[in-house]
Amino acid sequence: MKYLDEVDNLAKEIGAVNTVVNRNGKLIGYNTDYLGFNYSINKFGINLKSKKVLILGSGGASKMLQKLLLDKHVKDFVVISRSGENNYNNIEKFYDYNLIINATPIGMYPNNMESKINLENFNKLEGVIDLIYNPLNTKLILDAKKLKIKTMSGLLMLVAQAFYAAEFFLDEKLDENLIDKIYNKLKFDMTNIVFIGMPSSGKTTMAKALAEKLNRKFLDTDQLIEECENKKIPEIFEKNDEKYFRDLESKILSKISKETGLVIATGGGTILREENRDLILQNSIVVYLDRDLKNLETEGRPLSKNLDNLKRLYCERHKIYEDLSNIRIKVIEGKDKNLELIFKEVENYENFSD
């Protein structure tokens, strides 16, 4: 096939050739990285022409990127490596570059939340691409989103690679719509669903019910803290201070937020620390349960033991809950109705381009 011959020649130019024997016994050379990445940037609307691009990493993926950038007629590109002429110690020379592509494992599971560069130093940055797909949002991607910079992670590229590999193996053209369908399904299955909101807003009850409905594992950060300390939360506050509790909370969240496909109920104050917000956002759809203050319980809750305290906490936290959440639920006083509302919102959530 002419199509396969063209891909074979392209792969040889790249110098990082994968091989496969298709079902007809033909040995094929190709580079699905190139095709998958090209599909992804087109889907995300990222234009490379005339851009100045910084590639982090000098391995095989970097070589593929260099070939693609040449084909896309970028203005310039530079490879940053650990010990090369251009490295992290002199990266300031490139603060005027428009696009950063991470082709290293920095920030990849299980070493989540690692990054070697400060994006705030780049004064003309338009986009950040990270080839990592676990976590769904690396620290590099999260930092870019805070700066309102366009981002792309590596999951769509992974799916597109598999699609093109299947084409080559079968020796036939397939429907490219399959890429998006598989990507959306895979991303939803990988994504945690995290509940946030005021104390007694129903996070544990609704998260547990949703987990059962979706056949997912359920975790509760407050329960995990109590198990870790072998004490109830009021007792932890009584014998220690709030900082001690918040440190435990962050430690627990750091561990479980790395996992995928969970439904997680958080404590009311979990969102107060920026590090916790980042931990949540790396792999999650966030559901904010906004319940009327008059319906919130206060017994056994150290920081919300009366209505005045509740009002103060709500004023402090409401804006954070809103900004962090993907879905806001005005809580209905009825478990079944509330669950159905939450389920529909989660099921219909399609903001997968972030």
Side-chain angles (χ1 to χ4, degrees):
M1 291 176 64
K2 182 180 179 182
Y3 174 67
L4 292 176
D5 290 338
E6 289 173 351
V7 173
D8 188 23
N9 291 334
L10 176 62
K12 290 173 182 175
E13 288 180 27
I14 295 170
V17 179
N18 305 112
T19 58
V20 67
V21 176
N22 70 15
R23 64 180 179 180
N24 297 320
K26 179 180 178 181
L27 182 65
I28 303 167
Y30 63 93
N31 190 286
T32 55
D33 289 5
Y34 184 105
L35 297 172
F37 185 81
N38 187 59
Y39 178 90
S40 300
I41 59 173
N42 289 336
K43 194 71 179 180
F44 277 78
I46 297 174
N47 182 16
L48 300 177
K49 187 176 180 179
S50 301
K51 303 298 183 185
K52 298 171 72 175
V53 183
L54 204 60
I55 302 174
L56 307 181
S58 57
S62 175
K63 291 179 174 61
M64 174 276 293
L65 290 170
Q66 293 170 49
K67 167 60 180 168
L68 185 141
L69 294 178
L70 288 172
D71 292 346
K72 296 293 183 180
H73 306 291
V74 299
K75 184 175 182 179
D76 185 28
F77 70 82
V78 169
V79 176
I80 301 295
S81 61
R82 286 176 294 182
S83 56
E85 177 185 354
N86 298 310
N87 54 66
Y88 293 100
N89 294 322
N90 60 20
I91 201 170
E92 68 276 0
K93 295 190 297 183
F94 311 106
Y95 282 164
D96 63 337
Y97 274 47
N98 311 119
L99 181 71
I100 295 174
I101 307 177
N102 179 41
T104 77
I106 296 172
M108 184 171 68
Y109 178 91
N111 300 312
N112 303 40
M113 307 313 293
E114 291 185 0
S115 177
K116 282 199 168 187
I117 61 174
N118 182 358
L119 296 183
E120 293 180 351
N121 293 326
F122 292 83
N123 50 57
K124 294 185 180 179
L125 195 59
E126 300 173 9
V128 170
I129 297 173
D130 200 326
L131 301 190
I132 290 171
Y133 56 86
N134 184 12
L136 295 168
N137 294 303
T138 60
K139 179 167 174 33
L140 189 66
I141 293 289
L142 291 172
D143 288 347
K145 287 184 175 184
K146 290 175 187 177
L147 297 172
K148 309 298 182 186
I149 293 170
K150 190 174 186 65
T151 64
M152 187 187 95
S153 64
L155 184 62
L156 182 58
M157 175 181 165
L158 176 74
V159 175
Q161 284 175 286
F163 171 86
Y164 292 119
E167 275 197 337
F168 299 138
F169 177 76
L170 297 172
D171 202 3
E172 64 182 70
K173 288 291 291 181
L174 302 176
D175 182 0
E176 278 195 345
N177 289 326
L178 282 171
I179 298 175
D180 292 345
K181 289 179 181 178
I182 295 169
Y183 168 68
N184 289 339
K185 176 66 165 61
L186 181 59
K187 185 168 184 182
F188 183 79
D189 289 346
M190 289 178 65
T191 301
N192 296 323
I193 302 169
V194 175
F195 283 75
I196 63 173
M198 288 287 288
S200 186
S201 59
K203 300 185 296 295
T204 298
T205 300
M206 301 318 304
K208 188 173 184 179
L210 184 65
E212 291 174 357
K213 192 174 183 70
L214 294 175
N215 194 28
R216 291 188 176 207
K217 185 177 180 179
F218 162 73
L219 293 176
D220 183 303
T221 58
D222 282 351
Q223 180 181 335
L224 292 172
I225 290 169
E226 289 182 339
E227 290 174 0
C228 178
E229 292 290 288
N230 198 27
K231 297 184 184 72
K232 293 295 183 182
I233 287 177
E235 188 180 357
I236 296 173
F237 270 85
E238 182 182 342
K239 296 197 173 184
N240 302 282
D241 56 14
E242 184 177 356
K243 182 182 181 303
Y244 180 84
F245 176 82
R246 296 298 175 206
D247 288 343
L248 284 173
E249 189 173 54
S250 295
K251 182 179 179 181
I252 293 290
L253 189 63
S254 177
K255 181 178 179 180
I256 66 174
S257 64
K258 291 182 180 182
E259 305 305 320
T260 58
L262 304 175
V263 180
I264 302 171
T266 63
T270 304
I271 47 79
L272 293 174
R273 290 185 175 181
E274 184 177 9
E275 66 175 294
N276 290 352
R277 299 195 290 271
D278 285 349
L279 289 170
I280 289 170
L281 288 173
Q282 66 178 327
N283 273 329
S284 303
I285 297 172
V286 183
V287 180
Y288 168 28
L289 297 187
D290 189 8
R291 189 179 187 187
D292 287 342
L293 293 184
K294 67 178 184 295
N295 295 322
L296 299 179
E297 298 175 1
T298 57
E299 185 177 350
R301 300 185 180 273
L303 300 180
S304 56
K305 50 192 175 185
N306 55 53
L307 186 57
D308 287 339
N309 278 21
L310 276 176
K311 289 178 178 178
R312 177 180 56 80
L313 289 179
Y314 186 79
C315 288
E316 291 174 354
R317 299 176 181 180
H318 175 64
K319 183 67 165 57
I320 302 176
Y321 291 141
E322 280 199 325
D323 290 345
L324 187 63
S325 62
N326 305 110
I327 297 168
R328 179 185 174 189
I329 301 292
K330 193 65 180 174
V331 175
I332 301 170
E333 296 306 319
K335 178 182 174 181
D336 292 341
K337 291 181 179 179
N338 215 33
L339 176 61
E340 190 60 29
L341 177 61
I342 294 167
F343 177 73
K344 285 181 179 178
E345 289 289 334
V346 170
E347 188 178 44
N348 294 329
Y349 181 71
E350 296 180 350
N351 191 15
F352 290 114
S353 61
D354 280 350

